Amino acid sequence: AQSVAQPEDQVNVAEGNPLTVKCTYSVSGNPYLFWYVQYPNRGLQFLLKYITGDNLVKGSYGFEAEFNKSQTSFHLKKPSALVSDSALYFCAVRVPGAGSYQLTFGKGTKLSVIP
Amino acid sequence: SQTIHQWPATLVQPVGSPLSLECTVEGTSNPNLYWYRQAAGRGLQLLFYSVGIGQISSEVPQNLSASRPQDRQFILSSKKLLLSDSGFYLCAENLGQGSYGYTFGSGTRLTVV
């Protein structure tokens, strides 16, 4: 079975500082990894994904994530946080070739960027 | 690209009343469709998924049911709502192949009173 862990319920960061939202995964096989963002009372929006190739993936709104196979991690990063980045962030994993193509989501991390 | 329409955006219903939430998908054929519930703005709970017309898999036994009468339509229903059914309901789809993730609808906020 595949699983995703987001060890921090909440991350607080000052505006202009770098931010990191952590994600680790457990799968058998090579995973597809995703990050989504959710603003209040909205659906989830796709940020970026890792499929294969370069371990550093760049996505929307200046976010990037680094795939680390040895540490089974896929942490989300941004060099300089904005107040508008405050939202709920979800990491997700899928193993290619597995059944119904479901994503398994982490429980989410609330990011608060303090002005 | 895919677009998902969900309605209504908000709904307040009394305990014991019926429920019908609708989700329709544009831009793709034969998508996999999913209903999620999100309580208190946190984790996502998968309720149902469908890989084709009339094919429904239930992940969590409860007071809700789902149907897929058409390829691009997914309906979440209840005959009698409970207080515990309150939450934010999200419809999602993926193409079921390749490296695609999900596309989500904008959600329905259901409050059972």
Side-chain angles (χ1 to χ4, degrees):
Chain A
Q2 54 198 43
S3 65
V4 176
Q6 292 182 243
E8 302 154 317
D9 285 345
Q10 177 144 359
V11 171
N12 298 321
V13 62
E15 186 177 23
N17 282 3
L19 69 87
T20 299
V21 182
K22 295 179 180 177
C23 172
T24 59
Y25 64 90
S26 175
V27 301
S28 53
N30 295 317
Y32 292 166
L33 293 157
F34 303 81
W35 276 102
Y36 289 84
V37 61
Q38 185 183 31
Y39 298 99
N41 293 311
R42 302 298 300 272
L44 277 68
Q45 298 176 30
F46 171 79
L47 275 180
L48 51 80
K49 65 182 178 183
Y50 172 81
I51 303 302
T52 188
D54 193 347
N55 289 342
L56 184 63
V57 178
K58 294 187 183 296
S60 307
Y61 313 120
F63 284 93
E64 58 188 27
E66 186 167 11
F67 172 63
N68 188 318
K69 188 172 184 178
S70 63
Q71 297 185 7
T72 62
S73 66
F74 189 56
H75 301 331
L76 181 70
K77 299 182 180 184
K78 188 174 182 180
S80 178
L82 300 174
V83 173
S84 57
D85 293 329
S86 299
L88 188 57
Y89 290 81
F90 289 94
C91 182
V93 65
R94 178 166 84 77
V95 176
S100 65
Y101 308 102
Q102 289 182 34
L103 295 186
T104 298
F105 288 88
K107 60 181 173 61
T109 298
K110 183 178 180 181
L111 173 66
S112 294
V113 181
I114 303 162
Chain B
S1 63
Q2 299 84 254
T3 301
I4 298 182
H5 300 282
Q6 268 190 259
W7 66 92
T10 60
L11 191 59
V12 180
Q13 292 284 97
V15 169
S17 64
L19 173 73
S20 181
L21 302 181
E22 189 162 343
C23 169
T24 59
V25 179
E26 290 182 9
T28 185
S29 295
N30 198 31
N32 293 338
L33 297 174
Y34 306 84
W35 277 111
Y36 283 87
R37 179 169 60 199
Q38 187 179 28
R42 296 315 300 252
L44 301 170
Q45 180 185 33
L46 178 63
L47 300 176
F48 301 95
Y49 68 91
S50 171
V51 299
I53 296 174
Q55 300 179 62
I56 307 295
S57 296
S58 173
E59 291 293 306
V60 183
Q62 54 192 313
N63 186 40
L64 302 170
S65 62
S67 62
R68 187 169 176 177
Q70 301 179 40
D71 181 45
R72 300 177 185 181
Q73 185 183 31
F74 202 25
I75 297 171
L76 183 69
S77 303
S78 174
K79 293 182 179 179
K80 290 185 177 181
L81 284 169
L82 306 172
L83 287 173
S84 58
D85 292 324
S86 294
F88 192 53
Y89 288 82
L90 290 160
C91 181
E93 68 90 21
N94 70 8
L95 295 179
Q97 60 185 349
S99 60
Y100 297 104
Y102 285 3
T103 300
F104 282 86
S106 56
T108 296
R109 171 73 59 192
L110 172 66
T111 304
V112 183
V113 296

